[in-house]
């Protein structure tokens, strides 16, 4: 169905713009949803860390909340096709990835159970018949190694995903006339 008041070139611009905008809107929705998740998870981390106070987890919670806030702030800009928003969202994911990677590496190499934990009661280890210190070390290593791998894959993958939206946003700005972008934005 065509609109007789819009020229064929105008209709084509709207159709092409709608295809590009749909891809950008999907990326913006992913950024918005992840941002909300980051804000919630970061706030919970921050609140639990305040009970300590545990300065490392307070900083980690603040980082996650900040990244979530900025992702949600940039999402509408990406939906409007602004290339800088896609770049900023990619950088935000990299900041989070590096922050989590540094945290995990510190927990694996410096803040190990031997350096941060209280020694286990030898009677408990003896009564259980299990090497509880070895078990604690193994769980610690598996936990922080897994978190490191997940952070690199997930945040790194999202950084790449948003970075790949930059050319789409540039194409949207370059090829879709402003009137068509405004029309599509009002729908």
């Amino acid at each position: 169905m065509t609109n007789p008041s819009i020229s064929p070139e105008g209709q084509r611009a709207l159709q092409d713009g709608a295809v590009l905008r749909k891809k950008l809107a999907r990326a913006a929705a992913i950024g918005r949803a992840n941002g909300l998740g980051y804000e919630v998870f970061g706030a919970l981390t921050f609140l639990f860390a305040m009970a300590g106070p545990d300065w490392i987890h307070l900083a980690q919670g603040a980082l996650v909340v900040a990244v979530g806030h900025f992702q949600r702030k940039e999402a509408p800009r990406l939906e409007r096709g602004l290339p800088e928003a896609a770049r900023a969202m990619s950088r935000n994911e990299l900041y989070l990835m590096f922050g989590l990677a540094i945290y995990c590496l510190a927990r694996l190499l410096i803040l190990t159970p031997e350096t941060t934990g209280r020694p286990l009661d030898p009677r408990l280890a003896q009564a259980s018949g299990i090497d509880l210190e070895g078990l604690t070390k193994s769980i610690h290593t598996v936990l922080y190694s897994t978190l490191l791998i997940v952070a690199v894959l997930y945040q790194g993958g999202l950084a790449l995903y948003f970075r790949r939206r930059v050319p789409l946003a540039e194409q949207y700005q370059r090829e879709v006339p402003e009137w068509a972008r405004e029309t599509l934005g009002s729908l």
Side-chain angles (χ1 to χ4, degrees):
M1 186 164 143
T2 59
N3 184 341
S5 63
I6 299 177
S7 71
E9 295 83 22
Q11 291 175 6
R12 179 74 176 165
L14 283 173
Q15 290 171 345
D16 292 346
V19 170
L20 288 171
R21 189 168 194 283
K22 183 177 180 181
K23 293 176 184 178
L24 294 171
R26 183 174 188 280
I30 290 170
R32 198 176 292 111
N34 276 338
L36 179 60
Y38 295 160
E39 287 176 329
V40 169
F41 183 75
L44 290 173
T45 300
F46 193 84
L47 289 173
F48 287 126
M50 287 179 64
D54 180 347
W55 298 107
I56 292 171
H57 291 109
L58 285 170
Q60 181 188 21
L63 171 67
V64 176
V65 167
V67 168
H69 169 76
F70 289 119
Q71 290 300 77
R72 287 172 34 98
K73 179 181 170 191
E74 292 296 334
R77 296 180 67 231
L78 177 59
E79 193 167 5
R80 290 194 309 269
L82 299 176
E84 187 50 43
R87 288 185 192 96
M89 292 176 85
S90 179
R91 276 191 309 269
N92 290 339
E93 293 295 340
L94 288 175
Y95 293 149
L96 183 55
M97 182 186 77
F98 286 125
L100 290 173
I102 289 168
Y103 169 73
C104 289
L105 290 172
R107 294 297 302 209
L108 288 167
L109 303 173
I110 300 167
L111 303 171
T112 62
E114 299 89 15
T115 62
T116 60
R118 295 181 308 213
L120 294 171
D121 186 343
R123 294 175 295 181
L124 179 63
Q126 191 176 34
S128 69
I130 300 173
D131 177 14
L132 292 179
E133 286 186 23
L135 181 61
T136 301
K137 289 177 191 176
S138 296
I139 290 171
H140 180 88
T141 301
V142 167
L143 176 71
Y144 290 105
S145 296
T146 302
L147 180 58
L148 176 62
I149 291 167
V150 168
V152 168
L153 292 176
Y154 187 74
Q155 266 64 53
L158 280 173
L160 184 59
Y161 175 79
F162 289 122
R163 182 69 182 125
R164 288 184 175 164
R165 296 311 171 268
V166 171
L168 286 174
E170 289 171 342
Q171 181 183 2
Y172 185 70
Q173 292 294 318
R174 183 179 59 249
E175 295 178 6
V176 179
E178 185 176 344
W179 68 265
R181 291 192 310 263
E182 288 175 7
T183 301
L184 290 168
S186 68
L187 298 177

